[in-house]
Amino acid sequence: MEANGLPSRTSILTAAARAFGSREPDASVRNPDWLAGRLIGPAELALIGGHPISKAIGQDFQQAMDDPEIFGFAWLMLVRTRFIDELMERAVRNGVTQLVILGAGFDTRAHRFTELLKDVDVIEMDHPATQEYKKRRVEAALDGAPANLVYAPIDFARESLGEVLRAAGFQRARRTYFICEGVSMYVPEEGMKETLRGIAAEAAPGSALLLEYFNRGGLELLRKYPTGMIKNAFEWGEPFVFGVPDGQDREFFLEAGLELGETLKIGNPETVKRYAMRQDGSYYGAHLEKVFQQRREAALKAMDDTDRRQAEEGAAVPGYWLAELTVR
């Protein structure tokens, strides 16, 4: 969230990447967020003009996909959106009756899954300015919010999660699924710990949290050598500040009252097999394999000896996760 009252530009950027990916002709690797494009118009694209995805929306799709910056971001949003959609659907089918989306930004799940969520109360939580902006776009582009959606403004670094949830009608006795996508890295460590503790304290047994997070080692390398949208985030005043201590994921979450369950390591072979295989059997991005290899080699050369050794040993590679955590 920006100090001048504008919405979070990174929330617009990720929605634009989902919108772009939803234009993919091959359904097997198409981003399922078919509504994101309705929320992202010229005014929103102007706010993210520093990133090439802002121009890609209006370009020939295949031509834009030859840009590694655009493809890489679209690839990430494809994996992230599909994994979270899958686990949310599973949770609802297994009896969850409340859905809380933390730092919702331009999330469209309450609109995309109206039939699945018809008996589920949905609460979207976000910074007031970002949320008000999103609400105006929803009214203009989607004819308003569904009746089961409640907006709950919050500053995660300063306000009590439990108090804001209860004010929004949250019921502690009901099983709940929390989604925290694209949020944790922007919240100071103590604020993130309080949020995790708040979920564990407020949620009924059997509730769960889908969390996207970095490990600290990988985060520090990204902060030291920012590229792509991470560089944009720093320039827009939305820096990455939090990562879970390396190798202590399970202990870190247990301390907050949450049990680490299913995980997806971004970029590993399982990710490609599950979400990035084309109908013809080729993997999504094969046309840019040499380009990405050259970029990796250039990135390593730009590092000092210590950081290069850390990256080559793979210390940073497993540091980006999507994980489901259950309330103990």
Side-chain angles (χ1 to χ4, degrees):
M1 161 60 210
E2 300 191 6
N4 57 12
L6 289 172
S8 159
R9 286 199 268 185
T10 55
S11 71
I12 294 174
L13 184 63
T14 53
R18 296 196 303 272
F20 175 77
S22 71
R23 295 168 52 198
E24 166 62 54
D26 187 342
S28 62
V29 287
R30 182 184 303 147
N31 192 296
D33 193 350
W34 53 276
L35 285 177
R38 298 190 192 179
L39 297 177
I40 305 300
E44 290 70 48
L45 294 176
L47 288 172
I48 58 169
H51 192 283
I53 202 76
S54 64
K55 307 294 189 298
I57 296 293
Q59 292 178 340
D60 174 79
F61 181 78
Q62 295 300 339
Q63 182 179 349
M65 286 290 277
D66 287 335
D67 183 328
E69 199 74 46
I70 294 170
F71 172 81
F73 199 19
W75 185 95
L76 173 59
M77 291 302 105
L78 167 69
V79 171
R80 196 167 94 170
T81 305
R82 281 193 165 179
F83 183 77
I84 295 174
D85 282 0
E86 283 182 10
L87 270 64
M88 181 201 72
E89 289 184 74
R90 182 177 69 188
V92 173
R93 297 190 196 287
N94 287 340
V96 159
T97 59
Q98 289 182 132
L99 174 66
V100 177
I101 305 176
L102 307 169
F106 285 67
D107 191 288
T108 65
R109 291 183 175 91
H111 304 265
R112 288 191 289 122
F113 291 97
T114 51
E115 180 62 27
L116 177 74
L117 300 175
K118 63 183 180 181
D119 297 319
V120 176
D121 291 324
V122 183
I123 300 174
E124 288 192 6
M125 309 183 79
D126 210 339
H127 192 283
T130 297
Q131 192 167 84
E132 284 301 315
Y133 191 102
K134 191 261 187 81
K135 286 165 65 176
R136 292 195 295 271
R137 291 300 301 139
V138 166
E139 288 295 329
L142 303 180
D143 296 323
N148 63 332
L149 172 60
V150 173
Y151 294 108
I154 186 173
D155 184 336
F156 290 102
R158 295 181 175 86
E159 295 184 81
S160 164
L161 178 73
E163 290 178 5
V164 175
L165 277 174
R166 288 190 291 275
F170 180 82
Q171 297 181 35
R172 298 179 65 177
R174 294 165 59 185
R175 284 178 56 200
T176 304
Y177 201 71
F178 295 82
I179 295 174
C180 189
E181 174 186 9
V183 175
S184 70
M185 59 285 292
Y186 301 106
V187 181
E189 182 166 346
E190 194 52 43
M192 199 61 219
K193 285 181 176 179
E194 284 301 314
T195 297
L196 296 174
R197 293 186 192 116
I199 290 171
E202 296 295 328
S207 297
L209 163 68
L210 192 292
L211 178 68
E212 177 188 16
Y213 71 93
F214 281 94
N215 283 120
R216 190 171 293 167
L219 181 79
E220 289 305 316
L221 281 182
L222 291 174
R223 285 172 58 86
K224 194 170 182 179
Y225 307 99
T227 60
M229 72 81 58
I230 297 167
K231 185 176 181 180
N232 290 120
F234 276 85
E235 293 170 348
W236 294 338
E238 301 179 51
F240 284 21
V241 297
F242 168 71
V244 173
D246 295 353
Q248 300 177 41
D249 306 50
R250 190 171 300 278
E251 294 77 10
F252 180 87
F253 295 124
L254 279 174
E255 192 174 297
L258 299 167
E259 182 82 39
L260 186 62
E262 183 174 349
T263 61
L264 182 72
K265 188 186 301 181
I266 300 296
N268 74 351
E270 179 194 356
T271 306
V272 175
K273 184 178 180 180
R274 287 177 67 171
Y275 303 111
M277 296 300 295
R278 287 189 174 278
Q279 290 177 345
D280 63 7
S282 64
Y283 69 89
Y284 199 37
H287 67 298
L288 291 172
E289 182 177 5
K290 291 183 178 179
V291 175
F292 282 120
Q293 180 59 35
Q294 291 168 354
R295 286 162 68 97
R296 282 191 291 269
E297 292 172 356
L300 286 171
K301 288 180 181 179
M303 295 178 182
D304 62 35
D305 290 344
T306 300
D307 293 338
R308 186 181 305 112
R309 185 163 51 252
Q310 180 185 13
E312 288 175 338
E313 290 172 354
V317 174
Y320 183 19
W321 301 88
L322 293 168
E324 189 173 67
L325 309 164
T326 55
V327 176
R328 297 178 64 194

